[in-house]
Amino acid sequence: MNSRPGLMSLFILIVSLLSFSYQAQAVTALKGGTLQAYWKAEWNDEATINTPQLGFRYFPNESALEKVKVIDIFMDGSDENKIIFIKSNFNNMPANFLQYKEWYVNQPGTIKVPAVVNYMECNTDNYKADLQSFQPDNAAQNADDMMTQDFGGCGSDTPYLVLYQLKEGEKTLSLKSEASETASDLASVNSNETLAKIRTVDKAWIYVAVYDEAEKGHLSNKRGFVKLSTLTPLN
């Protein structure tokens, strides 16, 4: 009769150990890749107010997972907590990333996730995972130009780009050498061309490149400063 409590305790202990063992095994470590934090534009219906949304994705080492090209990473917590995470783990962060909530920052390192989930969307393979931990590799070269690798998923491979076109009725405008109306002209753009913001100068001016899907990062060498008041957002 007295053995029943002991057997019950033993059973609970075994179940707990099995559960712990399963949880310990249910972790996938991806090494040698690059974690990217980026801001994606979210415009109101009138396209007058942009409330950028913070996102993450991981570019695995090519030899780590043969089929996986880009993994969308989901992280619990508020944007404030995510920014604390970025400040603690990312090096070489451009000032405009936090000041104007734009562009992206990359950090090589190892991520741990419960699993990499494969799902179909847009008739292609997509991948996502919940972040458990990240260990930055501060000795690795910061792969700032790694966006040239094959994206292969659904959606944009450059979600951080904010795109603009000339305001209705405007046929051409000049890209300036400096953020000043009196600065020299570098190039002329027309209403058929799309401009991608590279960085914000101030409330009036931005630095842009002509958007070109054939170019690295979709940015052509046709670049310069332009006044925001002459443009209309596309995304």
Side-chain angles (χ1 to χ4, degrees):
M1 297 292 291
N2 294 334
S3 64
R4 288 184 178 179
L7 289 174
M8 181 60 69
S9 298
L10 179 61
F11 175 77
I12 293 173
L13 176 61
I14 292 173
V15 171
S16 299
L17 290 173
L18 288 174
S19 176
F20 176 81
S21 176
Y22 174 79
Q23 291 176 7
Q25 292 175 5
V27 173
T28 298
L30 304 179
K31 301 179 180 180
T34 298
L35 181 62
Q36 181 185 86
Y38 65 89
W39 294 100
K40 183 178 180 180
E42 291 287 346
W43 294 93
N44 62 352
D45 292 339
E46 295 76 24
T48 56
I49 300 175
N50 177 22
T51 307
Q53 302 299 306
L54 190 57
F56 297 87
R57 54 186 184 168
Y58 190 75
F59 295 80
N61 185 314
E62 291 184 0
S63 62
L65 291 173
E66 184 177 350
K67 289 181 59 180
V68 177
K69 295 177 180 179
V70 180
I71 305 170
D72 288 320
I73 299 297
F74 296 91
M75 186 185 305
D76 292 333
S78 64
D79 275 357
E80 288 75 14
N81 290 334
K82 294 173 184 177
I83 288 172
I84 292 173
F85 167 83
I86 293 170
K87 287 181 176 179
S88 300
N89 291 283
F90 285 68
N91 297 323
N92 305 318
M93 193 178 342
N96 61 315
F97 181 81
L98 292 179
Q99 183 179 2
Y100 293 109
K101 295 185 177 181
E102 62 187 13
W103 210 239
Y104 67 88
V105 61
N106 293 331
Q107 178 60 52
T110 297
I111 64 169
K112 290 185 179 180
V113 299
V116 177
V117 178
N118 176 212
Y119 65 99
M120 292 295 295
E121 191 172 325
C122 307
N123 295 318
T124 188
D125 285 306
N126 291 262
Y127 302 90
K128 63 182 179 180
D130 295 322
L131 182 68
Q132 282 193 345
S133 66
F134 176 64
Q135 180 61 49
D137 183 357
N138 295 319
Q141 182 177 359
N142 200 336
D144 190 57
D145 292 327
M146 44 80 70
M147 296 303 102
T148 54
Q149 72 180 71
D150 189 6
F151 176 67
C154 184
S156 172
D157 54 349
T158 52
Y160 48 84
L161 288 184
V162 184
L163 304 179
Y164 294 89
Q165 64 182 9
L166 275 62
K167 277 194 172 179
E168 187 175 357
E170 296 288 340
K171 294 183 179 180
T172 62
L173 62 76
S174 296
L175 301 181
K176 297 289 188 176
S177 60
E178 297 179 14
S180 169
E181 292 184 357
T182 60
S184 59
D185 298 338
L186 292 177
S188 177
V189 295
N190 61 55
S191 58
N192 294 321
E193 293 178 295
T194 297
L195 300 176
K197 180 175 68 171
I198 296 176
R199 61 181 174 87
T200 298
V201 178
D202 52 35
K203 291 182 179 180
W205 290 85
I206 58 175
Y207 183 66
V208 301
V210 172
Y211 181 82
D212 186 344
E213 291 189 353
E215 293 287 343
K216 182 179 180 180
H218 298 171
L219 302 174
S220 75
N221 290 325
K222 195 174 178 180
R223 306 182 180 194
F225 297 89
V226 64
K227 293 191 74 173
L228 267 172
S229 58
T230 62
L231 306 175
T232 297
L234 287 176
N235 60 345

